[in-house]
Amino acid sequence: MCPAVVALLSVALTAVGAATSLPPRAGAQTSPPRPNELGRVPILEYHLIGDRESRWSRERGTFRRDLELLHRRGYRPVTVAELVSRRLDLPAGTSPVVVTFDDASPGQFSFIRRADGTLVPDPTSAVGIWLDFAKAHPGWGTKATFCVLSNATYGHAFFGDKGINGQETAWRFPKLQFLVRRGFELCNHTLWHGKLDRLSDDEVRAQIGRAQLAIDSAVPGYRVRTFALPLGLWPRNRGLVRGGSWTDRTSGRTMTWTHDAVLEVAGTKAAGPVSYSPHDPRFDPLSLPRVQVVGKTLETLLDRLERTGQRYVSDGDPRTVAKPGP
Ligand SMILES: [Zn+2]
């Protein structure tokens, strides 16, 4: 048959399909996905959540639609700590997704003060949107990871200070306490986003140690397992990110850390943009790739994972690792 006829026939068949039933959307699931616990796990990365879209900002309505898209496609959030612990206890047929927020801006987590004086999450901030979404979608939970700066400028200090965006300095610790109480994960993103590749070993230790001291002051005894590299830049002495210590001269207190997970700012040479399954021998918890969610990246990514059969799909049994079929 000549190519022109084949093309015409396919147009006609498409038209019939459209008339009798809704055609499946590209990437949409038509049958339950088969278990594949060696598939890839997307680690998403958000920065500002606010009024508009830009390279570093997600508009809040679009953010909510991201959550809806993930949920509709069968994704369920896990924290970075759960990922590296290989603790992915998900219902059969669903897939893990890791959602990370960097830089601790007020748009990620604002409080509003009620008339009776109590503080509640602003429903227009990411935490407010997330909690509202979780209420309407049982099983969604509160497993997101917040990579915080303890003392950067422009309100990037535990989600806002000095009245920036209406956020009081005194609300910083209660915000961290709120997140931990609700089951979110805290991750160290340094004191003020220092470019670690340009700092001395002592300065790197201070960037990590000071942030850890601040987190510990808010949530005493909290074990920080995850570290996010500012701008994805490694210090010359990479071992300092994995573990180290720093002593606060004022109090004489020594902070020590051993990170189980290190987040890059983009894809890695070894894994590409999407992380290997933690059950894959190539999985490297100390160099985890992330995908920045801008424009249509999320939808494109989910489509690609499904189309190529690379998507991690749970078999519902955390004791076994389901391998993809032939
Ligand atoms: Zn950052």
Side-chain angles (χ1 to χ4, degrees), residues 204-222:
V204 170
R205 285 190 197 95
Q207 278 285 328
I208 299 172
R210 281 184 188 280
Q212 181 164 329
L213 176 61
I215 292 170
D216 191 77
S217 303
V219 194
Y222 183 84

Side-chain angles (χ1 to χ4, degrees), residues 47 102-103 149 189 193 229-231:
H47 293 91
D102 278 19
D103 303 345
L149 302 168
H189 196 33
H193 219 262
L229 290 162
L231 304 170

Side-chain angles (χ1 to χ4, degrees), residues 34-39 309-315 322-324:
R34 292 165 65 175
N36 174 13
E37 293 177 335
L38 291 179
Q310 287 188 308
R311 171 180 170 179
Y312 182 114
V313 179
S314 172
D315 68 349
K323 307 218 164 38

